[in-house]
Amino acid sequence: MTPTTNQAVNPAANQAVHQAVHQTAAPVRRTRPPKRKTRITIYLDDEVLTEFRNLSERCGTGYQTLINAALRHRLANAGPETGLL
C-alpha cells in the first residue's frame, strides 16, 4: 500500500498522530454544580426594597445579593426571638 497525501510516510509518526487525534476528540463531560439557590416570591415593604436598591447602586452589588447577605448576617447573629411581631 502506498502512502496517500493525508498519511505520514513513517508508520510510527502516523500512529502518534492517530493517537493524538483520538485523545483530543473525546468530549469532555461537565457535571452540573450543586443547586444552591431556590427561586421564591416574597413581598417586601416598598421602603425596604428602595433602600436595598439604593445601596445596590452605591456599592455596585445586586440588591438581591444584598438582601441575601443581610438575611445571612441576621441568621448568624440570631438569638432568642424577641420583639418580632
Side-chain angles (χ1 to χ4, degrees), residues 10-83:
N10 182 349
N14 189 20
Q15 184 178 6
V17 169
H18 182 64
Q19 286 177 345
V21 168
H22 284 290
Q23 287 174 352
T24 58
V28 176
R29 293 189 180 220
R30 297 181 187 187
T31 59
R32 279 191 173 171
K35 184 178 176 185
R36 296 185 38 205
K37 297 194 177 197
T38 302
R39 180 182 300 266
I40 64 166
T41 300
I42 185 172
Y43 290 93
L44 300 173
D45 293 339
D46 290 337
E47 298 82 17
V48 171
L49 191 54
T50 299
E51 286 300 317
F52 274 103
R53 285 182 172 159
N54 289 338
L55 181 59
S56 171
E57 289 178 13
R58 289 193 304 266
C59 69
T61 302
Y63 73 94
Q64 292 178 351
T65 301
L66 293 174
I67 293 170
N68 195 56
L71 291 170
R72 282 183 172 274
H73 180 76
R74 173 61 179 97
L75 289 174
N77 298 321
E81 297 296 325
T82 58

